[in-house]
């Protein structure tokens, strides 16, 4: 079983309008809602790949109920911990003609100390049955900034491989707890290390505690710096589309390959093929299964250095 | 008891952002939610004025549940009819610095024939105990365009004074069923009659079936054309503020004065004082009770013609 943790789950709402005009009134054409937050996105992709997947994190209020209702028919199993506050919504307003999107993100619910303890108990129970765990996204208000570090330590004590995908201070603290993998993008890595050059920054992140760093480089693929070697993996050709969720699909690719005992080049090929197939999908955050199957053998994975 | 009918209820959501920029990403500072739809706004004002008030209309889905939860602690009694569809949200995005607001309105839920019949039964039961009834706002999908005409006829058959506040074809059809009052604004009246001059348009609307026409003229107050006479009522001085809900407060003023057996000049004074006190209130759609008490004796009501 693969476990994903989303402390700041979201109900992702999409509005379609003719064109968003500030200070005007708009009729919303279509309204769609789906469970969101990075770890839930990762779990949805893992479920689609056939992996037994469990999601935990927080969900509460009317929005949390809607989120859990939408999650119920999907493959990932729901082990979300209830909170008194209301799960946040994210709103994407898409202009019909151009596809341009305006994003509005609500703040998360205030999480109490007792709710955090309940999450820790659930996590400690689930981790014993997990082949791998992903810790994903931002922290809701009230959760201490070292929360991911605490979850990394528990995973390591249980000898379960742990991937951390967050940013800012939670990433800085989490890395110091020595996670197996981190998957920052170039901006997150630069913010953490002060270096813009990806290999230099990845090396620095490893010195800070990460065993392996998979830096996502957008359309150019990923750079992986690991104890087993350093690789660049890239799609066979650049693609155009909607990059929403591409990073989450890359996490799902890494995690699924790790859980199956595949080596780094295979893990990276899967991450790049899945994220590229996500950019190509007509629905934001979904992946195109046919494109994934076609891309997987065609991802270029090149060693760019021996184990450091 | 005063009854208000809101067929297309809404959960009014307000987001505060620094400034809305199309195609950018925004953190939402504050999120507020309240029960909305014109008839619910009217009922809230009536409740604040101390009137025993009942609301009916449709509510459904997760949004309907939230709306009913927010309504529960307020004075108006909830006689909303459940529907399978999801009550719509309206989203107001307010720029923190300027107070400018961008409005996004979801479509209402699809209402089935059986749900419409359930509403009719509830309405027929409630109308027997009502001193007055207001029929307010747009129609959700699935409700026939003559719905308000049907509700007007039932009220008239029960000898309950009925006020209709809607627009477009539902107003045109509703007026033909001979409601006691209609309260269009200048645009709605022009759309209905083809005349921009308020008195000429009001006379035309009366010829179409309305017993009395109260045309709201924005900051200039109202023009009333009735079987008892024609009046103009205006606030003592123009005011600046947020006009959201001012029309609903005017309806509450007219209806409460009607239910108390007051004459036209007193009804109009109440309508103008309440709508002006709503423009002056710091929270959109609320009214400033102190301003209302101060304004009420100072509204100018002038006869501009004998009974026509």
């Amino acid at each position: 079983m693969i476990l994903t943790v989303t402390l700041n789950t979201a109900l992702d709402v999409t509005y379609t309008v003719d064109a968003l005009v500030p200070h005007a009134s708009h009729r919303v054409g279509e309204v769609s809602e789906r469970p969101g937050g990075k770890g839930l996105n990762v779990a949805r992709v893992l479920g689609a790949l056939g992996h037994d997947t469990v999601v935990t994190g927080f969900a509460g209020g009317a929005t949390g109920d809607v989120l859990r209702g939408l999650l119920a028919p999907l493959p990932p199993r729901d082990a979300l911990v209830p909170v008194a506050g209301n799960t946040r919504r994210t709103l994407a307003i898409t202009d019909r003609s151009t596809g341009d999107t305006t994003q509005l993100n609500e703040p998360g619910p205030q999480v109490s100390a007792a709710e955090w303890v309940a999450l820790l108990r659930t996590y400690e129970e689930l981790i014993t049955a997990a082949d791998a765990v992903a810790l994903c996204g931002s922290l809701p208000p009230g959760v201490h900034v070292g929360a991911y570090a605490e979850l990394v330590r528990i995973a390591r004590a249980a000898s379960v491989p742990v991937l951390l995908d967050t940013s800012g201070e939670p990433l800085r603290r989490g890395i110091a707890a020595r996670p197996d993998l981190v998957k920052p993008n170039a901006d997150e890595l630069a913010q953490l290390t002060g270096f813009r050059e990806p290999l230099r920054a990845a090396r620095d992140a490893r010195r800070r505690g990460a065993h392996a760093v998979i830096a996502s480089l957008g359309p150019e693929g990923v750079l992986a710096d690991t104890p087993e070697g350093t690789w660049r993996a890239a799609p066979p050709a650049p693609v155009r589309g909607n990059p929403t969720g591409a990073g989450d699909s890359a996490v799902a690719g890494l995690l699924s390959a790790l859980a199956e005992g595949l080596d780094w080049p295979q893990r990276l090929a899967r991450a790049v093929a899945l994220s590229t197939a996500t950019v190509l999908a007509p629905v934001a955050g979904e992946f195109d299964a046919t494109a994934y199957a076609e891309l997987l053998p065609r991802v270029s994975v090149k060693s760019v250095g021996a184990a450091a």
Side-chain angles (χ1 to χ4, degrees), chain A:
Chain A
M1 174 270 274
I2 300 178
L3 177 63
T4 77
V5 177
T6 317
L7 297 179
N8 210 2
T9 56
L11 181 67
D12 288 343
V13 181
T14 303
Y15 282 176
T16 305
V17 298
D18 284 337
L20 183 67
V21 180
H23 317 149
S25 187
H26 307 73
R27 278 172 194 271
V28 176
E30 291 139 57
V31 180
S32 74
E33 296 185 331
R34 61 172 215 165
K38 280 171 176 283
L40 290 192
N41 299 341
V42 171
R44 211 167 32 223
V45 175
L46 287 168
L49 292 173
H51 281 274
D52 179 26
T53 311
V54 176
V55 296
T56 191
F58 296 113
T63 325
D65 289 345
V66 172
L67 183 150
R68 298 182 83 153
L70 293 171
L71 194 57
L74 302 180
R77 283 181 287 146
D78 175 354
L80 294 166
V81 172
V83 286
N86 208 16
T87 294
R88 68 196 173 112
R89 279 171 293 215
T90 73
L91 176 64
I93 305 168
T94 301
D95 293 2
R96 198 188 314 276
S97 46
T98 60
D100 287 329
T101 292
T102 307
Q103 189 72 34
L104 293 128
N105 298 319
E106 296 185 6
Q110 186 72 32
V111 173
S112 72
E115 288 163 346
W116 173 245
V117 170
L119 185 281
L120 279 180
R121 291 212 184 106
T122 300
Y123 178 76
E124 282 165 344
E125 214 168 277
L126 291 167
I127 201 93
T128 61
D131 300 313
V133 57
L135 310 174
C136 303
S138 60
L139 300 178
V143 170
H144 71 97
V145 73
Y148 280 132
E150 202 173 345
L151 299 180
V152 167
R153 276 184 222 107
I154 292 167
R156 291 186 52 76
S159 302
V160 176
V162 53
L163 182 153
L164 177 61
D165 185 13
T166 185
S167 59
E169 193 59 22
L171 174 61
R172 189 182 301 273
R173 303 278 189 109
I175 276 190
R178 311 190 63 74
D180 296 274
L181 280 80
V182 295
K183 193 219 62 62
N185 61 34
D187 284 345
E188 289 162 350
L189 201 51
Q191 200 202 347
L192 175 74
T193 65
F195 301 125
R196 288 240 48 117
E197 198 282 300
L199 184 55
R200 188 169 177 191
R203 289 267 150 92
D204 185 78
R206 287 185 62 210
R207 267 196 299 273
R208 292 166 183 267
H211 287 265
V213 176
I214 318 302
S216 59
L217 308 174
E220 290 161 50
V222 300
L223 169 75
D225 192 41
T226 84
E228 284 79 46
T230 304
W231 290 270
R232 266 183 181 274
V239 297
R240 291 189 63 176
N242 187 336
T244 304
D248 302 329
S249 291
V251 168
L254 291 169
L255 217 58
S256 69
L258 175 70
E260 290 171 35
L262 303 181
D263 62 17
W264 276 112
Q266 294 178 86
R267 293 176 197 173
L268 300 176
R270 201 176 272 192
V272 170
L274 270 175
S275 62
T276 307
T278 301
V279 173
L280 289 170
V283 177
E286 304 291 326
F287 74 94
D288 181 325
T290 309
Y292 169 57
E294 283 170 7
L295 284 161
L296 187 57
R298 298 173 57 222
V299 171
S300 110
V301 184
K302 285 185 188 147
S303 172
V304 293

